[in-house]
Amino acid sequence: MNSIPRLHLISDSRLCPLDRFAALSRVVACAGVSAVHLREKMLPAGELLAAAVVLREALGGSATLFINDRIDLALLSDAGGVQLGEGSLPVSGARTLLPPGVLIGRSVHDVAGARRATEDGADFVMAGHVYETASKLGQTARGTAFIESIASVVSIPVVAIGGITPERVGDVMRAGAYGVAVQSGILAAPDPETAARSYTEAINDAG
Amino acid sequence: MASGTGFRGDRLRKALRVYVLTDRSLARGRSEREIVEAAIAGGATAIQLRWKTGSLHEAMAIGRELGDLCRASGVMFVVNDRVDLAIALGADAVHLGDEDLPIPAARRIVGDAMVIGYSPATLDDALQGERLGADYLGVGPIYGTATKSDAGEPVGTQRITEVCRSITIPVVGIGGINAENAGAVIEAGAAGVAVISSVVAADDVREATMRLAKAVQGAIGVE
């Protein structure tokens, strides 16, 4: 079993085109990013597979590759994890398709969803959105109280997502988060490597 | 995970004769289960779970029902687009298009038993599809259709003849096919016909499937 990563980077081709994402991921993995998620819903599966393979090779063993939603792509790219949402295959079904040790994260938006994810055997939940974020305009920020409410009822790690800056990591982790997931905080930073290092230090300080 | 039950050779060809695809938006409120039960009762030989919107959680639940119905009747159960869903459901076949996983990649994870269908956009794609390991092709749109607005201009039965002349795997025609024009598709060389609206949107799904099956059998020359 892989250990569960604490600092997740999630792709967003609007912020960083996929052809640059692999190289950037490699750099930030050396600065403490421990999971890199390929999450591009609009691409044809063949292109996603090619991107996943490139990303997997770029990362080597430096960070765990997570594929969003698609178990088939995760199998083909030898990913170390999958991230499932409300619309994905059920965690239990996904588990039977994946080799032992592949991590399954489940994205949740309420306490009931987090409970179900735990019962279904997810390795961790990703919960948000904690703060207001440009990538999810119009979605209500739920605040650190939301993380607290989830962390208090589930036994698996809670990874917080949504507008988390290095300065906010301490608050989020004190609320019970095990780790954080980031898009623009790293992808849109003037220096992604420095940003990744700031997150890593903030997580280490809070832990 | 049991996947694929060996629809190969003549068995595959026969399973492709009357191939019905689900489409919730055309089913007029009837469940996939209801449509598929009636289609199988009317002589459908293959059922494809065509899942374009909605959660895969629900697709799993519905797919389990349809898979059970198909297995109980020896009907080939096909899952559209998603290879992982096909494997999870233990489907007999997965059907891929150009937006889906490439055929060789799909083959690596489904193994040899599962049938792979492919929808080529051009004659070249058809040749390529066979070369890459597809087990059958879906060729169309043969006639004009309202179901797939992105399906492009009708290619006519002529395309079936062209494709069948160039490849050895079986071909099913798709797009605007009904009991009246199905015979021409078979006569052009198709092993079968794939339909959505002429069955799924029919008042009487069983009867519509029976009429289609009769037209196909008549053109093939079997009872």
Side-chain angles (χ1 to χ4, degrees):
Chain A
M1 174 65 78
N2 296 314
S3 68
I4 292 165
R6 281 188 192 269
L7 179 54
H8 299 242
L9 172 65
I10 297 173
S11 75
D12 184 338
S13 55
R14 291 166 304 179
L15 294 173
C16 175
L18 273 189
D19 55 355
R20 282 178 22 219
F21 184 67
L24 180 143
S25 295
R26 188 187 173 89
V27 169
V28 298
C30 297
V33 168
S34 44
V36 175
H37 293 237
L38 184 61
R39 181 178 182 279
E40 301 294 337
K41 301 199 170 186
M42 302 314 285
L43 280 187
E47 283 178 41
L48 264 180
L49 175 57
V53 169
V54 168
L55 192 50
R56 175 76 182 78
E57 277 164 14
L59 290 174
S62 61
T64 305
L65 171 63
F66 276 73
I67 304 292
N68 192 73
D69 186 53
R70 295 200 60 142
I71 313 301
D72 42 12
L73 286 173
L75 290 169
L76 287 164
S77 61
D78 197 20
V82 294
Q83 184 69 32
L84 304 177
E86 294 285 344
S88 304
L89 285 173
V91 171
S92 52
R95 184 76 76 193
T96 63
L97 303 185
L98 290 164
V102 174
L103 296 171
I104 300 182
R106 177 71 157 79
S107 301
V108 299
H109 301 100
D110 52 40
V111 171
R115 271 213 188 89
R116 268 200 309 279
T118 309
E119 288 161 10
D120 289 350
D123 294 302
F124 64 91
V125 292
M126 192 176 282
H129 290 74
V130 183
Y131 301 103
E132 189 115 17
T133 158
S135 56
K136 296 277 178 181
L137 277 179
Q139 292 201 10
T140 329
R142 292 151 198 265
T144 52
F146 176 59
I147 296 299
E148 233 174 284
S149 66
I150 287 183
S152 64
V153 299
V154 302
S155 52
I156 55 178
V158 178
V159 174
I161 186 169
I164 297 168
T165 59
E167 295 72 33
R168 287 163 162 173
V169 165
D171 285 346
V172 172
M173 291 188 66
R174 271 187 295 279
Y178 165 89
V180 300
V182 177
Q183 285 186 298
S184 59
I186 288 177
L187 294 177
D191 179 354
E193 187 180 1
T194 303
R197 200 158 281 127
S198 306
Y199 280 105
T200 306
E201 283 163 12
I203 288 170
N204 290 341
D205 288 349
Chain B
M1 187 66 45
S3 60
T5 46
F7 281 88
R8 283 284 177 267
D10 197 43
R11 193 168 174 225
L12 173 60
R13 218 165 255 282
K14 284 180 177 161
L16 294 171
R17 282 181 183 167
V18 184
Y19 186 139
V20 176
L21 289 73
T22 66
D23 187 318
R24 181 168 289 185
S25 65
L26 292 172
R28 295 155 55 189
R30 296 168 294 190
S31 70
E32 280 82 2
R33 183 193 179 91
E34 194 181 340
I35 298 284
V36 165
E37 270 177 339
I40 291 177
T45 53
I47 297 291
Q48 182 186 115
L49 174 61
R50 184 163 169 273
W51 195 259
K52 292 292 181 186
T53 54
S55 89
L56 293 180
H57 210 282
E58 191 184 2
M60 276 293 283
I62 289 168
R64 281 202 188 96
E65 288 186 353
L66 303 193
D68 287 347
L69 290 171
C70 288
R71 268 184 292 278
S73 311
V75 168
M76 183 165 82
F77 177 52
V78 189
V79 169
N80 196 31
D81 297 349
R82 287 286 293 249
V83 177
D84 44 8
L85 181 63
I87 302 172
L89 287 170
D92 300 308
V94 63
H95 193 93
L96 305 173
D98 285 329
E99 299 282 292
D100 304 320
L101 277 179
I103 296 164
R107 181 63 76 195
R108 283 209 294 283
I109 49 175
V110 302
D112 292 330
M114 195 186 288
V115 168
I116 296 181
Y118 172 63
S119 295
T122 64
L123 186 58
D124 278 350
D125 286 351
L127 302 181
Q128 173 85 340
E130 178 177 52
R131 220 170 20 246
L132 292 176
D135 297 298
Y136 76 89
L137 301 181
V139 171
I142 305 299
Y143 307 109
T145 165
T147 309
K148 294 185 81 174
S149 49
D150 60 345
E153 287 297 304
V155 294
T157 55
Q158 179 60 28
R159 176 63 66 78
I160 299 276
T161 309
E162 285 166 12
V163 170
C164 290
R165 203 181 284 144
S166 317
I167 63 168
T168 59
I169 55 174
V171 169
V172 290
I174 185 166
I177 299 173
N178 54 41
E180 283 68 46
N181 59 24
V185 180
I186 301 296
E187 280 150 19
V193 295
V195 298
I196 309 179
S197 57
S198 69
V199 162
V200 173
D203 288 335
D204 185 335
V205 169
R206 179 171 166 273
E207 197 260 334
T209 313
M210 281 176 78
R211 294 204 307 126
L212 187 70
K214 203 169 165 220
V216 169
Q217 284 157 3
I220 293 176
V222 295
E223 282 312 307

